Short mmCIF file of all heavy atoms in Angstrom, two decimals:
data_model
loop_
_atom_site.label_atom_id
_atom_site.label_comp_id
_atom_site.label_asym_id
_atom_site.label_seq_id
_atom_site.Cartn_x
_atom_site.Cartn_y
_atom_site.Cartn_z
N GLY A 54 105.61 114.44 94.50
CA GLY A 54 105.41 115.88 94.34
C GLY A 54 104.00 116.30 94.71
O GLY A 54 103.64 117.45 94.59
N CYS A 55 103.21 115.34 95.18
CA CYS A 55 101.83 115.62 95.60
C CYS A 55 101.72 115.38 97.10
O CYS A 55 102.27 114.41 97.62
CB CYS A 55 100.84 114.70 94.90
SG CYS A 55 100.79 114.89 93.13
N VAL A 56 101.01 116.28 97.79
CA VAL A 56 100.77 116.10 99.21
C VAL A 56 99.35 116.51 99.55
O VAL A 56 98.74 117.31 98.84
CB VAL A 56 101.75 116.91 100.09
CG1 VAL A 56 103.17 116.44 99.91
CG2 VAL A 56 101.65 118.39 99.81
N LYS A 57 98.83 115.95 100.61
CA LYS A 57 97.54 116.36 101.14
C LYS A 57 97.82 117.38 102.23
O LYS A 57 98.71 117.18 103.06
CB LYS A 57 96.80 115.16 101.73
CG LYS A 57 95.54 115.52 102.47
CD LYS A 57 95.17 114.49 103.51
CE LYS A 57 96.15 114.26 104.60
NZ LYS A 57 96.27 115.26 105.65
N ILE A 58 97.12 118.48 102.20
CA ILE A 58 97.33 119.47 103.25
C ILE A 58 96.07 119.62 104.09
O ILE A 58 94.96 119.42 103.61
CB ILE A 58 97.78 120.84 102.71
CG1 ILE A 58 96.68 121.50 101.89
CG2 ILE A 58 99.05 120.71 101.90
CD1 ILE A 58 96.96 122.96 101.63
N THR A 59 96.27 119.92 105.35
CA THR A 59 95.16 120.14 106.28
C THR A 59 95.42 121.45 107.00
O THR A 59 96.10 121.48 108.03
CB THR A 59 95.03 118.98 107.28
OG1 THR A 59 96.30 118.74 107.88
CG2 THR A 59 94.57 117.71 106.62
N PRO A 60 94.90 122.56 106.45
CA PRO A 60 95.19 123.89 107.00
C PRO A 60 94.84 124.05 108.47
O PRO A 60 95.44 124.86 109.15
CB PRO A 60 94.35 124.83 106.13
CG PRO A 60 94.17 124.10 104.86
CD PRO A 60 94.09 122.64 105.24
N GLY A 61 93.90 123.28 108.98
CA GLY A 61 93.52 123.41 110.38
C GLY A 61 94.36 122.60 111.34
O GLY A 61 94.15 122.67 112.54
N HIS A 62 95.34 121.82 110.83
CA HIS A 62 96.07 120.91 111.72
C HIS A 62 97.58 121.00 111.61
O HIS A 62 98.28 120.22 112.25
CB HIS A 62 95.63 119.47 111.44
CG HIS A 62 94.18 119.25 111.68
ND1 HIS A 62 93.31 118.89 110.69
CD2 HIS A 62 93.42 119.41 112.79
CE1 HIS A 62 92.09 118.81 111.19
NE2 HIS A 62 92.13 119.12 112.46
N ASP A 63 98.11 121.89 110.79
CA ASP A 63 99.56 121.97 110.60
C ASP A 63 99.93 123.41 110.25
O ASP A 63 99.26 124.04 109.43
CB ASP A 63 99.99 121.02 109.48
CG ASP A 63 101.47 121.09 109.20
OD1 ASP A 63 102.23 120.37 109.85
OD2 ASP A 63 101.88 121.88 108.32
N PHE A 64 100.99 123.94 110.86
CA PHE A 64 101.38 125.34 110.64
C PHE A 64 101.74 125.62 109.18
O PHE A 64 101.31 126.63 108.61
CB PHE A 64 102.55 125.73 111.54
CG PHE A 64 102.19 125.73 113.00
CD1 PHE A 64 102.79 124.84 113.87
CD2 PHE A 64 101.25 126.62 113.49
CE1 PHE A 64 102.45 124.83 115.22
CE2 PHE A 64 100.91 126.63 114.84
CZ PHE A 64 101.52 125.73 115.70
N ASN A 65 102.52 124.75 108.55
CA ASN A 65 102.89 124.96 107.15
C ASN A 65 101.67 124.84 106.24
O ASN A 65 101.51 125.60 105.28
CB ASN A 65 103.98 123.98 106.72
CG ASN A 65 105.26 124.20 107.47
OD1 ASN A 65 105.70 125.34 107.65
ND2 ASN A 65 105.88 123.13 107.92
N ASP A 66 100.83 123.87 106.52
CA ASP A 66 99.60 123.71 105.74
C ASP A 66 98.69 124.92 105.91
O ASP A 66 98.01 125.34 104.97
CB ASP A 66 98.85 122.45 106.16
CG ASP A 66 99.55 121.17 105.71
OD1 ASP A 66 100.65 121.25 105.13
OD2 ASP A 66 98.99 120.09 105.95
N TYR A 67 98.66 125.48 107.12
CA TYR A 67 97.85 126.67 107.37
C TYR A 67 98.29 127.82 106.46
O TYR A 67 97.47 128.49 105.84
CB TYR A 67 97.97 127.08 108.85
CG TYR A 67 97.30 128.39 109.16
CD1 TYR A 67 95.92 128.47 109.25
CD2 TYR A 67 98.06 129.54 109.35
CE1 TYR A 67 95.30 129.69 109.54
CE2 TYR A 67 97.45 130.75 109.63
CZ TYR A 67 96.07 130.82 109.71
OH TYR A 67 95.46 132.02 109.97
N GLU A 68 99.60 128.04 106.37
CA GLU A 68 100.11 129.11 105.51
C GLU A 68 99.79 128.85 104.05
O GLU A 68 99.42 129.76 103.31
CB GLU A 68 101.62 129.28 105.72
CG GLU A 68 102.00 129.81 107.09
CD GLU A 68 101.41 131.19 107.37
OE1 GLU A 68 101.31 132.02 106.45
OE2 GLU A 68 101.04 131.44 108.53
N MET A 69 99.91 127.61 103.62
CA MET A 69 99.58 127.26 102.24
C MET A 69 98.09 127.45 102.01
O MET A 69 97.66 127.96 100.96
CB MET A 69 100.00 125.81 101.96
CG MET A 69 100.11 125.51 100.49
SD MET A 69 100.61 123.81 100.06
CE MET A 69 101.73 123.31 101.33
N GLY A 70 97.28 127.06 102.97
CA GLY A 70 95.84 127.24 102.86
C GLY A 70 95.45 128.70 102.74
O GLY A 70 94.55 129.05 101.97
N LYS A 71 96.13 129.56 103.50
CA LYS A 71 95.85 131.00 103.41
C LYS A 71 96.18 131.53 102.01
O LYS A 71 95.41 132.32 101.46
CB LYS A 71 96.68 131.78 104.44
CG LYS A 71 96.10 131.75 105.82
CD LYS A 71 96.70 132.69 106.83
CE LYS A 71 98.00 133.34 106.51
NZ LYS A 71 98.56 134.14 107.61
N ARG A 72 97.30 131.07 101.45
CA ARG A 72 97.69 131.54 100.11
C ARG A 72 96.66 131.15 99.05
O ARG A 72 96.52 131.83 98.04
CB ARG A 72 99.06 130.97 99.72
CG ARG A 72 100.21 131.60 100.43
CD ARG A 72 101.54 131.26 99.78
NE ARG A 72 101.91 129.86 99.86
CZ ARG A 72 102.51 129.29 100.90
NH1 ARG A 72 102.79 129.99 101.98
NH2 ARG A 72 102.85 128.00 100.86
N HIS A 73 95.95 130.05 99.27
CA HIS A 73 95.01 129.53 98.28
C HIS A 73 93.55 129.67 98.71
O HIS A 73 92.66 129.09 98.09
CB HIS A 73 95.34 128.08 97.97
CG HIS A 73 96.69 127.92 97.34
ND1 HIS A 73 96.90 128.09 95.99
CD2 HIS A 73 97.90 127.65 97.89
CE1 HIS A 73 98.19 127.91 95.73
NE2 HIS A 73 98.81 127.65 96.87
N ASP A 74 93.31 130.44 99.77
CA ASP A 74 91.95 130.66 100.27
C ASP A 74 91.21 129.36 100.56
O ASP A 74 90.02 129.23 100.25
CB ASP A 74 91.14 131.53 99.30
CG ASP A 74 91.71 132.92 99.17
OD1 ASP A 74 92.11 133.50 100.19
OD2 ASP A 74 91.76 133.43 98.03
N LEU A 75 91.91 128.41 101.15
CA LEU A 75 91.27 127.14 101.49
C LEU A 75 90.55 127.29 102.83
O LEU A 75 91.01 128.02 103.71
CB LEU A 75 92.31 126.02 101.60
CG LEU A 75 93.10 125.73 100.33
CD1 LEU A 75 94.14 124.64 100.60
CD2 LEU A 75 92.18 125.32 99.19
N PRO A 76 89.44 126.59 103.01
CA PRO A 76 88.71 126.70 104.28
C PRO A 76 89.46 126.00 105.41
O PRO A 76 90.17 125.02 105.19
CB PRO A 76 87.38 125.99 104.00
CG PRO A 76 87.70 125.04 102.90
CD PRO A 76 88.78 125.70 102.07
N LEU A 77 89.30 126.53 106.62
CA LEU A 77 89.81 125.87 107.81
C LEU A 77 88.69 125.00 108.34
O LEU A 77 87.65 125.51 108.76
CB LEU A 77 90.21 126.88 108.88
CG LEU A 77 91.51 127.62 108.66
CD1 LEU A 77 91.71 128.66 109.76
CD2 LEU A 77 92.67 126.65 108.64
N LEU A 78 88.86 123.72 108.29
CA LEU A 78 87.83 122.80 108.72
C LEU A 78 88.25 122.17 110.04
O LEU A 78 89.27 121.49 110.11
CB LEU A 78 87.61 121.72 107.66
CG LEU A 78 86.56 120.68 107.95
CD1 LEU A 78 85.19 121.33 108.05
CD2 LEU A 78 86.57 119.62 106.87
N ASN A 79 87.47 122.41 111.07
CA ASN A 79 87.73 121.80 112.37
C ASN A 79 86.76 120.64 112.54
O ASN A 79 85.54 120.83 112.47
CB ASN A 79 87.54 122.82 113.49
CG ASN A 79 87.76 122.21 114.86
OD1 ASN A 79 88.34 121.14 114.99
ND2 ASN A 79 87.31 122.90 115.88
N ILE A 80 87.28 119.45 112.77
CA ILE A 80 86.41 118.28 112.92
C ILE A 80 86.31 117.81 114.37
O ILE A 80 85.70 116.79 114.64
CB ILE A 80 86.87 117.12 112.02
CG1 ILE A 80 88.27 116.64 112.41
CG2 ILE A 80 86.80 117.52 110.56
CD1 ILE A 80 88.66 115.31 111.79
N PHE A 81 86.93 118.57 115.30
CA PHE A 81 86.95 118.15 116.70
C PHE A 81 86.18 119.11 117.60
O PHE A 81 86.14 120.31 117.35
CB PHE A 81 88.39 118.07 117.22
CG PHE A 81 89.23 117.06 116.50
CD1 PHE A 81 90.29 117.47 115.71
CD2 PHE A 81 88.96 115.71 116.59
CE1 PHE A 81 91.07 116.56 115.03
CE2 PHE A 81 89.73 114.78 115.91
CZ PHE A 81 90.79 115.21 115.13
N ASP A 82 85.61 118.57 118.68
CA ASP A 82 85.02 119.43 119.70
C ASP A 82 86.08 119.69 120.77
O ASP A 82 87.25 119.29 120.61
CB ASP A 82 83.74 118.81 120.28
CG ASP A 82 83.98 117.53 121.07
OD1 ASP A 82 85.13 117.21 121.43
OD2 ASP A 82 82.98 116.83 121.35
N ALA A 83 85.72 120.33 121.85
CA ALA A 83 86.68 120.71 122.89
C ALA A 83 87.32 119.50 123.57
O ALA A 83 88.38 119.62 124.18
CB ALA A 83 85.99 121.59 123.93
N ASN A 84 86.70 118.33 123.46
CA ASN A 84 87.22 117.11 124.08
C ASN A 84 87.93 116.19 123.08
O ASN A 84 88.22 115.04 123.39
CB ASN A 84 86.10 116.33 124.76
CG ASN A 84 85.48 117.12 125.88
OD1 ASN A 84 86.19 117.69 126.71
ND2 ASN A 84 84.16 117.20 125.90
N ALA A 85 88.17 116.70 121.87
CA ALA A 85 88.82 115.95 120.79
C ALA A 85 87.96 114.80 120.27
O ALA A 85 88.46 113.84 119.70
CB ALA A 85 90.20 115.47 121.19
N ALA A 86 86.66 114.90 120.46
CA ALA A 86 85.73 113.97 119.83
C ALA A 86 85.32 114.59 118.50
O ALA A 86 85.38 115.81 118.32
CB ALA A 86 84.50 113.75 120.71
N LEU A 87 84.92 113.78 117.55
CA LEU A 87 84.55 114.29 116.24
C LEU A 87 83.21 115.00 116.30
O LEU A 87 82.27 114.54 116.95
CB LEU A 87 84.53 113.16 115.22
CG LEU A 87 85.92 112.81 114.67
CD1 LEU A 87 86.80 112.17 115.71
CD2 LEU A 87 85.81 111.95 113.45
N ASN A 88 83.14 116.13 115.61
CA ASN A 88 81.93 116.96 115.65
C ASN A 88 81.03 116.69 114.44
O ASN A 88 81.22 115.70 113.73
CB ASN A 88 82.31 118.45 115.76
CG ASN A 88 83.05 118.97 114.54
OD1 ASN A 88 82.93 118.45 113.43
ND2 ASN A 88 83.85 120.01 114.74
N ASP A 89 80.07 117.57 114.19
CA ASP A 89 79.10 117.33 113.11
C ASP A 89 79.63 117.70 111.73
O ASP A 89 78.87 117.67 110.75
CB ASP A 89 77.78 118.04 113.40
CG ASP A 89 77.92 119.55 113.51
OD1 ASP A 89 79.05 120.07 113.41
OD2 ASP A 89 76.89 120.22 113.70
N SER A 90 80.94 117.98 111.59
CA SER A 90 81.54 118.21 110.28
C SER A 90 81.98 116.91 109.62
O SER A 90 82.49 116.93 108.51
CB SER A 90 82.77 119.13 110.41
OG SER A 90 82.37 120.42 110.81
N VAL A 91 81.81 115.80 110.32
CA VAL A 91 82.21 114.50 109.79
C VAL A 91 80.95 113.67 109.49
O VAL A 91 79.86 114.00 109.96
CB VAL A 91 83.13 113.75 110.79
CG1 VAL A 91 84.38 114.57 111.10
CG2 VAL A 91 82.39 113.39 112.06
N PRO A 92 81.09 112.58 108.73
CA PRO A 92 79.93 111.73 108.47
C PRO A 92 79.29 111.23 109.78
O PRO A 92 79.98 111.00 110.78
CB PRO A 92 80.52 110.57 107.67
CG PRO A 92 81.72 111.15 107.00
CD PRO A 92 82.28 112.13 108.00
N THR A 93 78.00 111.07 109.75
CA THR A 93 77.21 110.70 110.92
C THR A 93 77.77 109.51 111.71
O THR A 93 77.80 109.58 112.95
CB THR A 93 75.74 110.41 110.50
OG1 THR A 93 75.25 111.55 109.80
CG2 THR A 93 74.87 110.15 111.70
N PRO A 94 78.25 108.43 111.08
CA PRO A 94 78.73 107.29 111.89
C PRO A 94 79.92 107.62 112.80
O PRO A 94 80.19 106.89 113.74
CB PRO A 94 79.15 106.26 110.85
CG PRO A 94 78.45 106.64 109.60
CD PRO A 94 78.28 108.13 109.64
N TYR A 95 80.62 108.73 112.54
CA TYR A 95 81.80 109.08 113.32
C TYR A 95 81.56 110.22 114.30
O TYR A 95 82.40 110.48 115.15
CB TYR A 95 82.96 109.43 112.38
CG TYR A 95 83.21 108.35 111.36
CD1 TYR A 95 82.85 108.52 110.04
CD2 TYR A 95 83.79 107.14 111.73
CE1 TYR A 95 83.07 107.52 109.11
CE2 TYR A 95 83.99 106.14 110.81
CZ TYR A 95 83.63 106.33 109.49
OH TYR A 95 83.83 105.34 108.58
N GLN A 96 80.43 110.89 114.19
CA GLN A 96 80.15 112.03 115.05
C GLN A 96 80.08 111.60 116.51
O GLN A 96 79.47 110.60 116.85
CB GLN A 96 78.83 112.70 114.64
CG GLN A 96 78.93 113.37 113.30
CD GLN A 96 77.62 113.98 112.85
OE1 GLN A 96 76.64 114.04 113.59
NE2 GLN A 96 77.59 114.43 111.60
N GLY A 97 80.76 112.36 117.36
CA GLY A 97 80.76 112.10 118.79
C GLY A 97 81.80 111.09 119.25
O GLY A 97 82.01 110.94 120.45
N LEU A 98 82.46 110.41 118.32
CA LEU A 98 83.46 109.41 118.71
C LEU A 98 84.77 110.09 119.12
O LEU A 98 85.16 111.11 118.56
CB LEU A 98 83.76 108.47 117.54
CG LEU A 98 82.65 107.53 117.09
CD1 LEU A 98 83.13 106.70 115.90
CD2 LEU A 98 82.20 106.63 118.23
N ASP A 99 85.44 109.50 120.08
CA ASP A 99 86.80 109.93 120.42
C ASP A 99 87.67 109.76 119.18
O ASP A 99 87.47 108.85 118.38
CB ASP A 99 87.33 109.04 121.56
CG ASP A 99 88.79 109.30 121.85
OD1 ASP A 99 89.08 110.25 122.61
OD2 ASP A 99 89.65 108.57 121.29
N ARG A 100 88.65 110.63 119.02
CA ARG A 100 89.47 110.63 117.81
C ARG A 100 90.17 109.30 117.58
O ARG A 100 90.33 108.84 116.45
CB ARG A 100 90.49 111.76 117.84
CG ARG A 100 91.52 111.65 118.94
CD ARG A 100 92.25 112.96 119.15
NE ARG A 100 93.30 112.90 120.14
CZ ARG A 100 93.12 112.94 121.44
NH1 ARG A 100 91.89 113.02 121.94
NH2 ARG A 100 94.13 112.92 122.27
N PHE A 101 90.61 108.63 118.64
CA PHE A 101 91.31 107.36 118.49
C PHE A 101 90.33 106.23 118.11
O PHE A 101 90.66 105.36 117.32
CB PHE A 101 92.09 107.01 119.76
CG PHE A 101 93.17 107.99 120.07
CD1 PHE A 101 93.12 108.76 121.21
CD2 PHE A 101 94.24 108.16 119.20
CE1 PHE A 101 94.12 109.68 121.50
CE2 PHE A 101 95.25 109.08 119.48
CZ PHE A 101 95.19 109.84 120.63
#
C-alpha cells in the first residue's frame, strides 16, 4: 500500500504530486546526463 512517486517522471505521479504540492525535480540535462540536482559523484554522468 506504499509507493514511491516521482512527479517529474510519470503522468500519474505528476497528478498526485500536483494534488500534494510536491516539487517537480528534474535530475537530467538535455542529453540525459545527471545535472547538479544530484550528489556530486553522479553529476555529468550518463543516466545508464
Side-chain angles (χ1 to χ4, degrees):
C55 297
V56 296
K57 172 205 61 75
I58 67 166
T59 51
H62 300 117
D63 178 87
F64 294 115
N65 296 316
D66 289 3
Y67 173 76
E68 292 299 324
M69 199 180 326
K71 280 191 346 186
R72 286 194 294 277
H73 296 277
D74 296 319
L75 299 178
L77 284 176
L78 180 63
N79 179 17
I80 63 167
F81 298 113
D82 66 15
N84 297 313
L87 278 69
N88 65 26
D89 61 358
S90 294
V91 302
T93 306
Y95 307 107
Q96 291 177 8
L98 293 178
D99 173 84
R100 65 195 183 281
F101 297 115

